[in-house]
Amino acid sequence: MIRLVEVGPRDGLQNEATTVGVEQKVAFINALAAAGERDIEVGAFVHPKWVPQMAGSEDVIKALPTLDGVRWSALVPNLKGLERALACGIRRIAVFTAASETFNQKNINMSIQASLDGYRPVVHQALQAGLSVRGYVSTVFVCPYEGDVKKERVLEVTQALLDMGVDEVSLGDTIGAAAPNDIENTVGYLLETVPPQRLALHCHDTYGTALANVVAGLNLGIRTFDASAGGLGGCPYAPGASGNLATEDLVYLLTRMGFDTGIDLDRLAQASGVMEAALGRQLPSRQLQRLRQLSRSSCAGSP
Ligand code: HMG
Ligand code: MG
């Protein structure tokens, strides 16, 4: 069984120019859960001036139902963010830092060390309140400002997050520039110290290498992958970051490779359709477009 973490409603929408309303977000998220998604990142308690698309996260979370086996989560950058998360009752949060200084400075306006120091009380208080916590490390392979990133630095930051008590660290190819040899080199190195069940791979698909990178991760024993419905996505502080790996494309690949994901591809395409209607444009997932074409040709063929 492979665990997918759906980041479309957060990583996907944070970079959209079109404002998506609370009702549309809630409809999208409910449709994702109905398709079988079990881990869905639904918002971010970041500064609304920095990322306006995440401004209504409290309202989205309050409008979501409690569903058996489904976890909603949201990004939290500091204690103020945790306060907002606790106030709306979400049970899982994610803290996020980077392996390159310049990116971290631009993304959260502080050094890596300052962010780790700031996260220690955030993670501690969250765990005490009964929440679970995920960690992200961005720019694990390539930084848009500094170029190639050293694997030793990635291990230091990953280990610091795990030592605080996060239950897994998602390794971000933030600008989608990595290739399978990068995964083997950096993730392989981390796995000498960190058990595979503590790591997830978060691929963006800027250069079309995301699926190949997933296969490299699978070969190393990684079993948790982040993806975004329809291939929505990007990062406002990483020039060149395009959409995340599309969940539909990942589900097709994994199913074809014999892995179970628990996700129904047709229903997932319906969920992405909710967001296509809200944004007024087609999403880039190849599988999504293939399914659209199939349904168009079967409609054209019907009497
Ligand atoms: P800052 O301006 O340095 O914060 O922002 P500050 O501590 O100096 O406070 C300034 C003001 O912001 C204060 O208000 C605070 O109360 C307020 P004032 O006193 O001036 O009225 N403030 C907040 N308000 C609401 N919620 C908060 C909050 N914190 C402070 N949580 C901060 C620092 C981290 C908040 C800011 O830089 C920020 O929000 N950054 C978010 C960036 C972001 O969301 N980036 C995208 C997500 S990361 C990503 O996409 C990568 C990932 O997908 C993995 C990958 O692909 O690699 C995860
Ligand atoms: Mg991302």
Side-chain angles (χ1 to χ4, degrees), residues 31-148:
L32 292 168
E37 300 242 34
R38 289 292 167 263
D39 263 291
I40 309 181
E41 201 168 74
V42 296
F45 296 110
V46 296
H47 198 299
K49 268 193 239 151
W50 285 59
V51 186
Q53 283 286 10
M54 292 296 109
S57 289
E58 279 90 346
D59 299 330
V60 171
I61 289 157
K62 284 184 195 152
L64 290 172
T66 303
L67 298 173
D68 246 10
V70 178
R71 292 198 293 191
W72 315 125
S73 67
L75 292 191
V76 161
N78 52 21
L79 281 168
K80 168 95 185 164
L82 178 64
E83 211 177 282
R84 292 173 58 198
L86 292 171
C88 71
I90 197 151
R91 306 300 300 156
R92 183 165 175 77
I93 61 162
V95 296
F96 56 106
T97 184
S100 84
E101 282 298 343
T102 316
F103 175 81
N104 208 51
Q105 198 67 48
K106 296 208 186 259
N107 194 36
I108 52 175
N109 204 22
M110 60 187 100
S111 68
I112 297 169
Q113 192 55 52
S115 69
L116 292 172
D117 292 342
Y119 283 140
R120 234 162 255 118
V122 171
V123 175
H124 180 74
Q125 288 180 32
L127 294 177
Q128 285 219 313
L131 276 63
S132 65
V133 188
R134 163 178 244 224
Y136 278 102
V137 181
S138 286
T139 55
V140 157
F141 309 101
V142 186
C143 167
Y145 309 102
E146 295 178 17
D148 286 352

Side-chain angles (χ1 to χ4, degrees), residues 207-232:
Y207 295 88
T209 54
L211 283 177
N213 292 341
V214 165
V215 174
L218 283 169
N219 289 340
L220 290 169
I222 301 296
R223 291 293 178 268
T224 302
F225 297 93
D226 300 355
S228 160
L232 274 166

